[in-house]
Amino acid sequence: MSASTRRAIAAQARVELLLTIRRGESLVVSLAIPVGILVFFTKVDVTQTSLKDPVQFLVPGTLALAVMSTAMVSLGIATGYERRYGVLKRLGSTPLSRGGLLAAKTISVLALEVLQAAVLLGVGAALGWHAMGSIAAAVGLLLVGTVAFAGVGLFLAGLLRAEANLAAANGLFLLLLFLGGMAYPLARLPGFLETVARGLPAAALSDTVRQALSAGSVSVGALITLGAWAVGAPLLAARTFRWEE
Amino acid sequence: MPSATPAIEVADLEKRYGDVRAVDGLALTVDAGEVFGLLGPNGAGKTTTVETLEGYRRPDRGRVRVLGLDPIRDGRQLRPQIGVMLQEGGLYPGVRPLEALRLFAAYYEHPAEPEALLERVGLASARGTYVRRLSGGQQQRLSLALALVGRPSLVFLDEPTAGMDPRARATTWELIRRLSDDGVTVLLTTHAMDEAEQLCHRVAIINAGRLVACGTPEELTLQAASDETRFSAPPGLDCTSLATAVGLGDGLVIEERPGAYLVRVDATPQLVATLAIWLRDHDVRIGELRTGRRTLEEVFLNLTSEDGR
């Protein structure tokens, strides 16, 4: 990669991050909701999950939730509006390539995820969470999850009008939060819902991250589901993405 | 100012949207350093043509070369050399003008200095205002600055002064003239005929996707020279009396609009003298007397009328 390409990507990533920080509501979704869920469900056993150690369950779950909020909701909504405002079209006639734009968005998403993870792990530690298992495996899984959710978010952003995309991304976020095994175990769901949930990327990510962080072995089924979403969703997004609304 | 390679070459360009031929066999050449105006009614195919040259649209037929390159196949080589101002949009609402310019400057090898450029387009005082709070004309000027920040050798300006107040328009015209002085080629579209006459070395008029006229504004207005003399004066003059005085039949002098008179005959010195005498005798003060050639606007309206003449 040439120095000028790197300079362009760095400048683009900086502005992407700046815009994310300026959108207060997206910071609420990506920070306040995961942290709120972590604290609330650790302290209050509303779902009567009778977990021995709720914080050990909730830290991996909210890490997965944080990835979902940033890679799917925040990235997707922002990209949808960039399409609406003609920004994506305008960038198409600059020397910044589509690959460069994608790289910049990736850097911005990862930076935000690092911030989220730091906050969640700090709060989790304060609540008594202690690391077990493989941190490296968990990081790897969260990265695969990022690719999967970014694929879903960009698929919607490249297809729907900006307002419809906003509603869809937020609605999907809520749905996957309920079906994601993030705040309470999937086993609490009725049988058919649990089956559906196991096919979705949210549960696959939270389950595998939890397994990786609990010294247990990672479920192959969940790993395959996660991997399939991480390949399928970006491919679908790439095929269907329209750069102009 | 012809040079070896034209800045833009379009031959037999066709672009369809479904059954509609937005551009239908268009051919034109823009020389390096020229300010070239693309005129035409709404839906004539101006934006489609410009966006094909910018690499956004793939031609259905024909050949397009921009700075000697194929805009789609050679886009990577072409994009650093061109500047683009879209007809609308293209700005992040949540950034400030200076931030936007600095971002775009980072895309190019040898960019212009963002602060100085902001000054040149008259946005220095709005440098810290979020784009979403800028007026339409200010957003236009920022789009223009973003088109120029990479020091392009060719700029595409799609209706650059739409929505600008007269002062901003004058600033923009001055900027475009200076670009041209620096050897930059400018392709602009406009609905403002005065803009085309003031700025463009040559203009092309397109209608329904076809080229209907191309040349310097002088050529177009001279070609369309007609046996017509027009003058403006207070409304309600006695046209029959005037027609008789200048030796014409009834109906050859008419009041087209209140205060706008048309004498359907060539403006010979004799006619002008007789007309002047009649005006003196009737104590009529005229606002404007125009003979021989029509304005670009008249040429435009004539060439782009419904029946296409």
Side-chain angles (χ1 to χ4, degrees):
Chain A
M1 192 188 294
S2 70
S4 58
T5 307
R6 272 202 305 276
R7 186 191 57 228
I9 291 173
Q12 184 69 32
R14 200 187 140 272
V15 166
E16 301 271 348
L17 257 180
L18 189 70
L19 288 169
T20 308
I21 291 163
R22 283 182 186 165
R23 278 190 305 270
E25 70 284 359
S26 89
L27 275 186
V28 169
V29 175
S30 38
L31 267 180
I33 291 181
V35 172
I37 285 176
L38 175 59
V39 174
F40 184 79
F41 284 86
T42 300
K43 294 293 182 194
V44 189
D45 189 11
V46 276
T47 53
Q48 294 179 319
T49 46
S50 315
L51 291 170
K52 281 197 304 290
D53 205 351
V55 76
Q56 290 301 116
F57 177 89
L58 285 163
V59 166
T62 48
L63 283 173
L65 180 64
V67 163
M68 182 165 85
S69 71
T70 297
M72 183 178 78
V73 182
S74 184
L75 173 69
I77 291 174
T79 306
Y81 277 101
E82 284 163 14
R83 199 166 71 103
R84 147 69 49 87
Y85 294 128
V87 172
L88 296 184
K89 178 177 180 180
R90 178 65 184 85
L91 293 181
S93 60
T94 69
L96 181 74
S97 64
R98 287 179 178 181
L101 179 63
L102 202 60
K105 286 188 176 294
T106 305
I107 293 170
S108 158
V109 164
L110 291 180
L112 196 61
E113 286 181 356
V114 167
L115 173 70
Q116 289 174 302
V119 172
L120 285 170
L121 293 180
V123 172
L127 292 170
W129 177 77
H130 47 275
M132 288 190 295
S134 165
I135 299 279
V139 169
L141 288 164
L142 289 169
L143 287 178
V144 176
T146 300
V147 175
F149 282 118
V152 175
L154 292 177
F155 168 70
L156 295 175
L159 205 61
L160 303 176
R161 282 184 311 109
E163 292 81 4
N165 173 54
L166 174 77
N170 280 323
L172 197 59
F173 176 76
L174 203 59
L175 183 77
L176 291 177
L177 169 58
F178 290 144
L179 297 181
M182 291 162 169
Y184 49 84
L186 278 185
R188 302 285 307 171
L189 296 171
F192 76 98
L193 262 187
E194 187 187 338
T195 314
V196 172
R198 292 212 182 275
L200 298 174
L205 180 61
S206 67
D207 275 359
T208 51
V209 172
R210 189 171 298 118
Q211 289 155 359
L213 285 179
S214 63
S217 59
V218 172
S219 139
V220 175
L223 204 56
I224 290 174
T225 304
L226 184 62
W229 279 96
V231 173
L235 279 181
L236 189 65
R239 284 186 65 92
T240 56
F241 200 91
R242 293 192 311 248
W243 292 79
E244 295 175 37
E245 188 165 273
Chain B
M1 51 206 87
S3 81
T5 326
I8 296 172
E9 281 179 280
V10 175
D12 197 26
L13 175 65
E14 184 177 309
K15 182 67 193 174
R16 287 185 302 267
Y17 297 120
D19 288 340
V20 182
R21 282 185 193 193
V23 180
D24 189 3
L26 190 69
L28 50 89
T29 303
V30 178
D31 290 323
E34 240 185 339
V35 178
F36 192 93
L38 208 50
L39 314 182
N42 291 320
K46 300 187 296 296
T47 295
T48 299
T49 302
V50 170
E51 291 193 347
T52 305
L53 297 170
E54 291 163 345
Y56 287 116
R57 317 250 169 267
R58 194 176 288 277
D60 290 317
R61 204 187 65 211
R63 192 184 121 99
V64 166
R65 286 291 176 275
V66 179
L67 303 175
L69 300 166
D70 180 318
I72 291 180
R73 198 191 57 213
D74 309 320
R76 193 178 283 268
Q77 259 176 287
L78 179 61
R79 285 191 287 269
Q81 304 179 57
I82 62 170
V84 167
M85 182 175 173
L86 298 175
Q87 194 174 109
E88 56 174 6
L91 301 173
Y92 287 105
V95 304
R96 302 179 170 108
L98 191 57
E99 291 167 345
L101 270 174
R102 285 188 174 143
L103 171 65
F104 273 56
Y107 300 151
Y108 298 90
E109 274 316 314
H110 305 290
E113 215 283 298
E115 304 231 15
L117 189 52
L118 215 53
E119 190 103 24
R120 270 171 69 197
V121 298
L123 277 183
S125 59
R127 63 212 294 256
T129 310
Y130 284 116
V131 165
R132 74 167 75 88
R133 292 194 220 287
L134 296 178
S135 70
Q138 287 176 317
Q139 293 189 2
Q140 287 284 93
R141 280 183 274 163
L142 178 57
S143 292
L144 177 64
L146 291 172
L148 302 181
V149 73
R151 294 188 193 274
S153 57
L154 166 62
V155 290
F156 296 98
L157 308 175
D158 202 349
E159 298 190 17
T161 58
M164 283 189 187
D165 64 38
R167 181 181 294 275
R169 212 160 84 115
T171 309
T172 304
W173 284 7
E174 188 49 43
L175 210 72
I176 293 173
R177 284 199 193 97
R178 240 190 296 163
L179 284 175
S180 167
D181 292 344
D182 293 344
V184 176
T185 311
V186 179
L187 177 67
L188 62 86
T189 73
T190 184
H191 286 297
M193 295 302 139
D194 57 337
E195 182 161 291
E197 277 183 306
Q198 292 272 334
L199 282 181
C200 298
H201 300 128
R202 285 195 304 143
V203 298
I205 299 178
I206 61 177
N207 192 33
R210 297 204 183 112
L211 186 73
V212 290
C214 186
T216 66
E218 284 69 28
E219 282 168 354
L220 292 190
T221 49
L222 266 181
Q223 254 174 28
S226 62
D227 293 342
E228 287 179 350
T229 303
R230 289 165 197 274
F231 66 94
S232 65
L237 297 185
D238 184 348
C239 291
T240 312
S241 154
L242 175 56
T244 310
V246 296
L248 290 172
D250 202 13
L252 288 178
V253 178
I254 57 169
E255 187 172 358
E256 289 187 303
R257 297 184 307 277
Y261 298 89
L262 165 64
V263 184
R264 291 189 196 278
V265 68
D266 187 21
T268 57
Q270 179 59 48
L271 175 86
V272 175
T274 321
L275 176 63
I277 291 165
W278 188 87
L279 292 169
R280 182 201 63 196
D281 291 348
H282 291 77
D283 194 23
V284 174
R285 187 180 286 269
I286 64 169
E288 184 186 10
L289 175 66
R290 213 172 62 240
T291 64
R293 67 163 64 175
R294 288 185 275 181
T295 63
L296 191 56
E297 180 148 357
E298 287 160 348
V299 173
F300 176 87
L301 289 173
N302 194 8
L303 287 172
T304 59
S305 60
E306 288 294 315
D307 55 6
R309 192 160 61 155

